[in-house]
Amino acid sequence: MAKRMKVQERLAGALAKAGLGPLFGVTGDANVYLIDAFVSGHGGRFVAAANEAGAALMALGHASVSGRVGLATVTHGPALTNTLTALAEGVKAGTPMVLLAGDTRHGERENLQNIAQRDLILATGAGFETIHRPETAVDDLARAIRRAGAERRPVAFNMPVDLLSSEVEDDACELRIALSRPEITPSGDDLDNAIGMIAAARRPIILAGRDAIDDAARDALIRLADRIEAPLATTLRAKGLFSGHPYHLGIMGTLSTPQATEALISSDCIIAFGAGLNFHTTAEGSLVEGKRVIQIARQEAGIGRGHTPSVGLVGGIAETAGRMLYWLDEAEIAGSGFRTALPAGSLAQQPGPTRISSPGDLDYVDALTRLDALLPENRMLVTDAGRHMVKAMQYLDVEHPRLYVQTASFGSIGLGMAEAIGAAEAEPDRPVVLTVGDGGFMLGGLTEFNTAVRHGTDLIVLLMNDNCYGAEYAILRDKQMDTALSRFDWPAFAPIAEALGGRGVTIEGPDDFGRAAEAIASRDRPLLIELRLDPAKMPFW
């Protein structure tokens, strides 16, 4: 008689064998046996989060850094509803993740945790798959993983408890998740029109987005930019791709340096590779108004998501840049000469602080500049949302765009701590630096800081404490209204970090940076550095 096994054991074995990475989650009655089989039966790594939102966010952080589909698991009902903000963030950010969600046993109408999980999932914009039959469970999960990767969004995999506990033959079924993605090279009239626009441009700019950050794409874009004498810019999520190039403008959009902004305004053609051209990148359309815009995306869905281009091309980034270069050479098109009017080497350089910190009066930009020099060079960077994030995005750098994770795609604060833990699991030999506001830390970071302690994460938290919700404070202040509604009398955060098992340091003035440097150099557990800031002196942009 053939050996039998439960569906949850079969799924656990297939997941472990696929080697996608750790499984982030919170145990519950509808997923605990699957987790146990994954860990005890197959040696998989399970990272236990403090809450379900954190588990889903950790999977997003891991996916963002690793480039693979992230994995998280929760039980049914309230556990599932706790993940909805994280799922919406993943949809907005275009991050592939599969949420293995237990579901109530069929027919248990009066189960307290019974809820229409499919309806909730679809409302976030995430995809939905389910176990159809015990015999198809592994193939059903493989479909969810393939969809998450192809559609670049979270997909929930619904697992009713009665199906998980059903028995099937023990046949060591594998997840068939490999996707064949041959890169294509565009041709035809649209390519001809694009080449014509580039040839006619006198002040062209090459823009790279998140889909253009691999080495082949970077090298191809630099060759094209050098050929047409165009400066190079990136979106926020491709931050640092062209660092070191003398004609690197830095980030295009609302985060541009003054020098880069001048070049962008004067340009007459934007050639955007793998960039969505959203309102941040285009500065509400002001940086593309009156210009010819050529947009290149790997998939049709990437064309016209933000600004509608003059020409849209679907194709591989390196392949399309190479084809453009070929035809420009064939036609003997001269370079634009745009670079001769630009100051080489300083276009992406942010201006220094407008004032220097003094005892009891910490300047935020000055503090970031000092910390940038103290933090490990091989760091990853995660920025939580809030008023503090703009300057952190501008003044803190990483070695490669893959090492930067922004968590504000859904406009929610408090998502950064969990995504930082997930990022650390993807690159365990690198420290991860998280910038977070006091409100974001209390909303979503406090409990997961202890998760970082439990799992030995090499984490440095820069907590910007101005004792308020900064954006709301600025709105009320600018309208000459009472700011008390936005103010909070938080406890001191450095001692809280110590109580949670980490280390804590407080910076209130320039004399405190020495202690911060020592704490960074000697860290052996998650470290929280609390910057005490005056809300009235915090910059917004």
Side-chain angles (χ1 to χ4, degrees), residues 96-132:
M97 182 266 279
V98 169
L99 178 69
L100 289 88
D103 198 3
T104 309
R105 186 183 305 273
H106 181 72
E108 287 191 346
R109 182 173 58 84
E110 295 184 1
N111 187 306
L112 291 178
Q113 296 183 330
N114 187 27
I115 197 168
Q117 296 195 165
R118 179 180 182 276
D119 295 345
L120 291 166
I121 294 296
L122 294 179
T124 69
F128 182 87
E129 291 287 342
T130 190
I131 298 177
H132 294 286

Side-chain angles (χ1 to χ4, degrees), residues 238-389:
K239 172 183 169 68
L241 182 64
F242 302 120
S243 293
H245 192 283
Y247 291 98
H248 174 31
L249 297 175
I251 300 169
M252 172 177 166
T254 52
L255 299 177
S256 296
T257 66
Q259 310 94 294
T261 299
E262 290 183 13
L264 290 161
I265 290 173
S266 70
S267 68
D268 59 3
C269 180
I270 306 292
I271 312 164
F273 290 85
L277 297 175
N278 63 32
F279 69 98
H280 292 298
T281 301
T282 65
E284 301 283 1
S286 64
L287 295 180
V288 293
E289 185 177 0
K291 298 176 174 59
R292 288 176 168 175
V293 177
I294 303 165
Q295 187 179 26
I296 300 93
R298 285 193 161 112
Q299 297 176 326
E300 288 186 17
I303 302 294
R305 284 186 311 185
H307 176 77
T308 302
S310 309
V311 175
L313 301 174
V314 177
I317 303 301
E319 291 78 6
T320 304
R323 181 58 60 91
M324 289 176 170
L325 193 59
Y326 171 81
W327 285 114
L328 290 169
D329 287 342
E330 283 290 299
E332 299 182 351
I333 302 298
S336 67
F338 188 22
R339 288 182 178 179
T340 60
L342 301 175
S346 63
L347 292 162
Q349 185 175 347
Q350 293 289 346
T354 56
R355 63 190 184 91
I356 303 300
S357 300
S358 59
D361 184 17
L362 193 64
D363 179 76
Y364 183 41
V365 174
D366 179 47
L368 284 176
T369 303
R370 293 170 186 255
L371 287 167
D372 185 51
L374 298 178
L375 294 166
E377 291 184 1
N378 68 331
R379 63 187 176 246
M380 292 179 282
L381 174 65
V382 178
T383 53
D384 201 291
R387 180 169 60 159
H388 64 89
M389 72 180 179

Side-chain angles (χ1 to χ4, degrees), residues 464-482:
M464 318 306 179
N465 182 13
D466 57 4
N467 283 293
C468 69
Y469 278 174
E472 289 71 24
Y473 174 92
I475 290 170
L476 293 170
R477 179 197 60 194
D478 293 346
K479 292 185 178 295
Q480 298 182 340
M481 299 171 66
D482 187 359

